[in-house]
Amino acid sequence: MLKRFKQYLQKLTRNHTQRRQKIMQIDNHVVQVGSTGYYVSRALITDVPEMLAIERAVYAGKTPWDENAFKTELRRQSGRFYIVMRHEDRLCAFCGCAFDDRRQDAHITNIAVHPDFQNQGLGSFMMKTMMRRAGYLNYHTVTLEVRYSNENAQRLYQSLGFEKTGIKKRYYFGDHEDAIDMTYKVPVGQNDA
């Protein structure tokens, strides 16, 4: 009896692992956002210099994350999912998420859209991609922090169903700006993979 139970648990674990691996993949493909086609793929180490360039463009010459932070995240195969969007071979946006099975939470770690491509729906597309994956994994929440001064991002997140759930005082390195915690509650039953 114990042997059968162990076999059953192994099968369940194997099925969960295979399903999770499938959900954490993305086929390289072109998507239509507005009237423009963008090539979407999983972020690679070779994308890091362009990701840093986007951060510099977005954050007035600064890079909140350095090269090593991005490389460390991209090397972590388990629980991390980063995508990039390109237009005419130019990296124009990226988004990263940490998926935590234990907490049943998908935490948006980083999202940035080059200023030349902002207000065209790329941020919304990437956020919805992560939110869908959280639903496929039967997670309860998607969370993130956003700068107190970044009202445009706050409006985007609220339009997607995120709610303000707290403030982290002096959260950001360098200028010590406060961060607003935001949470999206994944609807029950949103798990069709």
Side-chain angles (χ1 to χ4, degrees):
M1 182 76 154
L2 182 59
K3 183 178 177 181
R4 279 189 182 167
F5 182 70
K6 284 183 180 179
Q7 289 172 336
Y8 172 74
L9 281 179
Q10 286 175 339
K11 183 178 177 184
L12 275 179
T13 302
R14 188 171 41 250
N15 288 344
H16 173 76
T17 301
Q18 289 171 344
R19 184 171 190 273
R20 181 175 168 69
Q21 286 174 342
K22 180 183 174 195
I23 290 166
M24 300 299 274
Q25 299 267 335
I26 189 164
D27 294 328
N28 300 346
H29 64 289
V30 175
V31 296
Q32 200 74 19
V33 180
S35 61
T36 306
Y38 296 91
Y39 182 76
V40 179
S41 64
R42 189 163 191 147
L44 303 172
I45 298 287
T46 54
D47 294 320
V48 170
E50 290 175 284
M51 292 165 78
L52 290 168
I54 288 175
E55 281 204 333
R56 278 195 277 304
V58 170
Y59 299 111
K62 298 181 176 118
T63 56
W65 282 33
D66 65 15
E67 181 177 359
N68 287 332
F70 277 117
K71 287 182 176 180
T72 299
E73 284 289 288
L74 294 177
R75 284 187 185 113
R76 293 179 71 177
Q77 294 300 310
S78 178
R80 295 297 188 272
F81 185 65
Y82 279 75
I83 61 172
V84 294
M85 297 183 76
R86 292 182 174 279
H87 178 65
E88 297 178 353
D89 204 31
R90 178 181 175 195
L91 190 72
C92 47
F94 66 89
C95 183
C97 192
F99 289 85
D100 186 339
D101 279 348
R102 190 176 45 79
R103 291 181 43 228
Q104 299 289 288
D105 176 66
H107 184 75
I108 304 297
T109 56
N110 201 318
I111 182 169
V113 177
H114 191 283
D116 293 348
F117 295 92
Q118 289 181 0
N119 302 312
Q120 297 178 29
L122 301 183
S124 179
F125 173 85
M126 293 185 299
M127 289 294 295
K128 288 177 183 176
T129 297
M130 299 306 177
M131 293 160 69
R132 273 193 307 275
R133 279 171 170 67
Y136 297 157
L137 291 167
N138 297 315
Y139 279 16
H140 303 295
T141 55
V142 179
T143 57
L144 57 82
E145 294 94 15
V146 59
R147 284 182 175 273
Y148 190 85
S149 63
N150 194 343
E151 294 175 3
N152 288 339
Q154 292 172 44
R155 277 192 294 279
L156 167 65
Y157 304 144
Q158 286 177 313
S159 75
L160 295 170
F162 281 78
E163 296 177 355
K164 295 178 182 181
T165 53
I167 293 181
K168 289 182 175 147
K169 293 288 188 186
R170 303 178 56 79
Y171 178 77
Y172 288 98
F173 180 77
D175 63 2
H176 305 290
E177 184 175 355
D178 294 347
I180 297 174
D181 282 321
M182 298 188 80
T183 301
Y184 170 78
K185 291 184 176 131
V186 179
V188 177
Q190 185 183 333
N191 57 5
D192 307 331

